[in-house]
Every structure is written in structure tokens, then in C-alpha cells.
Amino acid sequence: MCFTFYSFTADFDTIQEISSGAYGCVFKAREKLLEKDFAVKIVLHQKKSLEEVLTLSDLLHSNVIRYFTCWTEDSGYQWKDLVDSNVIFSFYRSANNSKFLYIQMELCETKTLEDWIQEKNTESLTDLERREQSLHIADQIFSGVEYIHFMKRIHRDLKPANILFGLEGQVKIGDFGLVTRDDLLNKTTYAGTPNYMAPEQKTGQTYNRKVDIYALGLVFLELLWKLPTGHERAEVSVSYDSVSFSDYRKTYV
């Protein structure tokens, strides 16, 4: 599934950084042989990153970001801005000399659902116009999550920043860095983005795929209603966390 004979700089050109975070970097890169642009995510070669690759390789759905291949290299590719504003690429080694995992995926627009929501919050749309657009997006998100659950996976980090748009405008669920199997017993690991985590994720209780449904509810709330500040979004999450759902679970779940 993963290959070691690839060389990022030998097989790709026109490389541009798309995003970076605590777990790695994502680059837009043109594969020379196919003359086609892809997204290449670079992370440390660890058990967690391999789980992401294994999941992506099993998934094929129009609303889930598509995986193509992966390979390992001894060096990671890092973007650096020099003082003189010239941009160079350089290789770096991790402190423990770990290998790096390169994950080649379909390229999406740089705008995320988080960006889309922020744009709509500044526009003077009528409630009906926003609702129609939001429901179209929500329907695609639900379709993707339903498929992920059908494949016995839990995303665990559903949020607007991890929902992308394909080059033709379709919704794509991405960032499977915290994915886990739904058929594993005693899932209690604290994992996710706090403002979108279900109460049982935060408190060490056993949880299942329903934590994704909780996150979806918060995402849909942001889609349909104007919550312009991070503070207001956090207040929504906190208000739900303060409610005990045990009685409701007995009746409805």
C-alpha cells in the first residue's frame, strides 16, 4: 500500500504549501508524469498516521476526500520564508530520526466550510437563501458521514475546518487523523476539537459513532444560523455540555 521508491522533489513540481499544523503539512503539488495537481500531506511515520492511511484506502465516496497512494521518505519537506522574502524548500529531520509518511490525495479548494460560514455571516442573505444553500451542503455532509459509519469508522473530529470543497464544488470530508474503528470496544480516548466534542468524549466515558452525530448537530447549527464569533460558538457547545443526557439516552437511543 505504501511505497518507498518515490521522491517528492523528483516526481512532483510546482509545490505550494496549502496548510500546516501540529501534525504535519499539506502541499499542492503537480505530479510530473500525469501532469496533474494533487494534495500531498506529510506527517511523521507513526501508528496514528498509518491508521489514517488505512482508513482512506478503504473509503471511496463522492463526499469523502479521495486517497491515491502513500510512500515513506527519510526526510520531510518544509516550507521556509527567508528574511529577504525569497521562498525556498528545505529538508529537515525529526529529533528522533523518524521516517516521514507522504499521503497523496485529491486536491480540493483551499476554502473550507469554516471559510464558507464566515463569508455567509458577513453577507446580507435572507434566511431562506441561506437555509437552501446550507441544506444542500448539510445533505452532502450527512451522506459522507453515513458512509464512514457504514464502513465502521468514527471520524472523531468533524468540524467546519475539516470539511472541504472539491474542485467542482462538491463537499468533501477530510482530515482523518483522529479516526478510529467503531467495532473496537471501550473507546474512551480524549480525542477531537473541544468545541465539537460530545460530553462522553471529554469525560472519559465509553463512546461510539454517535459522537460524530453530536458534532454534526453543532456544524449544522453554524450552517443555518449566524454565530459570528468563536465565543458564541463555544457558548453553544458549553450549554450542551452542561445538560445531562442520561435520561434521554434511555428513552431515545
Side-chain angles (χ1 to χ4, degrees), residues 39-92:
V40 179
K41 182 176 182 179
I42 306 173
V43 295
L44 283 174
H45 189 279
Q46 298 173 329
K47 181 179 179 181
K48 180 176 65 176
S49 54
L50 286 175
E51 181 66 26
E52 178 179 5
V53 168
L54 287 170
T55 295
L56 286 171
S57 65
D58 285 340
L59 302 180
L60 185 59
H61 188 276
S62 59
N63 298 123
V64 174
I65 194 165
R66 185 178 177 186
Y67 161 87
F68 288 97
T69 189
C70 69
W71 66 95
T72 59
E73 294 189 20
D74 291 333
S75 298
Y77 203 55
Q78 186 181 34
W79 173 286
K80 286 187 177 180
D81 292 316
L82 296 181
V83 175
D84 61 2
S85 297
N86 291 324
V87 178
I88 66 169
F89 293 96
S90 65
F91 288 102
Y92 67 92

Side-chain angles (χ1 to χ4, degrees), residues 6-253:
Y6 269 77
S7 171
F8 188 43
T9 52
D11 296 315
F12 293 84
D13 60 14
T14 319
I15 302 169
Q16 299 174 338
E17 184 187 26
I18 297 175
S19 63
S20 61
Y23 298 107
C25 299
V26 180
F27 294 91
K28 174 184 177 181
R30 176 180 171 273
E31 189 172 15
K32 297 177 183 178
L33 181 62
L34 298 179
E35 297 185 346
K36 183 178 179 180
D37 290 330
F38 292 91
V40 179
K41 182 176 182 179
I42 306 173
V43 295
L44 283 174
H45 189 279
Q46 298 173 329
K47 181 179 179 181
K48 180 176 65 176
S49 54
L50 286 175
E51 181 66 26
E52 178 179 5
V53 168
L54 287 170
T55 295
L56 286 171
S57 65
D58 285 340
L59 302 180
L60 185 59
H61 188 276
S62 59
N63 298 123
V64 174
I65 194 165
R66 185 178 177 186
Y67 161 87
F68 288 97
T69 189
C70 69
W71 66 95
T72 59
E73 294 189 20
D74 291 333
S75 298
Y77 203 55
Q78 186 181 34
W79 173 286
K80 286 187 177 180
D81 292 316
L82 296 181
V83 175
D84 61 2
S85 297
N86 291 324
V87 178
I88 66 169
F89 293 96
S90 65
F91 288 102
Y92 67 92
R93 289 184 180 275
S94 65
N96 58 1
N97 292 319
S98 296
K99 286 184 176 293
F100 290 83
L101 182 64
Y102 288 65
I103 308 171
Q104 184 177 342
M105 302 172 289
E106 72 171 301
L107 182 67
C108 291
E109 297 286 353
T110 55
K111 183 173 73 173
T112 66
L113 182 61
E114 182 177 50
D115 298 321
W116 186 92
I117 290 171
Q118 290 175 354
E119 288 178 6
K120 297 305 175 185
N121 285 346
T122 62
E123 295 178 4
S124 57
L125 291 174
T126 66
D127 290 343
L128 180 59
E129 288 175 322
R130 176 162 183 162
R131 186 177 301 124
E132 288 177 348
Q133 295 178 18
S134 296
L135 289 177
H136 177 65
I137 292 173
D139 184 61
Q140 295 178 73
I141 298 172
F142 181 81
S143 179
V145 172
E146 184 179 40
Y147 173 74
I148 292 168
H149 290 174
F150 173 78
M151 297 298 290
K152 300 188 183 302
R153 298 295 197 279
I154 308 174
H155 189 283
R156 291 201 297 185
D157 199 20
L158 290 171
K159 59 183 180 180
N162 287 341
I163 298 172
L164 313 173
F165 294 95
L167 297 181
E168 296 181 357
Q170 67 274 47
V171 170
K172 300 283 184 177
I173 298 172
D175 200 339
F176 285 77
L178 296 180
V179 71
T180 189
R181 293 192 61 88
D182 190 29
D183 52 4
L184 296 178
L185 299 177
N186 300 321
K187 291 180 291 295
T188 60
T189 304
Y190 183 99
T193 300
N195 284 350
Y196 297 91
M197 289 169 64
E200 57 267 36
Q201 277 179 284
K202 295 181 178 181
T203 57
Q205 301 177 54
T206 301
Y207 56 82
N208 55 29
R209 70 180 69 178
K210 293 170 187 174
V211 298
D212 283 349
I213 305 303
Y214 179 93
L216 279 182
L218 295 176
V219 172
F220 292 169
L221 183 67
E222 291 186 52
L223 272 172
L224 292 167
W225 284 280
K226 183 177 180 180
L227 298 173
T229 69
H231 174 72
E232 289 178 342
R233 288 193 292 272
E235 284 295 317
V236 171
S237 179
V238 169
S239 66
Y240 277 102
D241 287 350
S242 64
V243 176
S244 174
F245 293 100
S246 57
D247 292 336
Y248 294 95
R249 288 197 182 100
K250 292 176 183 177
T251 305
Y252 300 108
V253 179

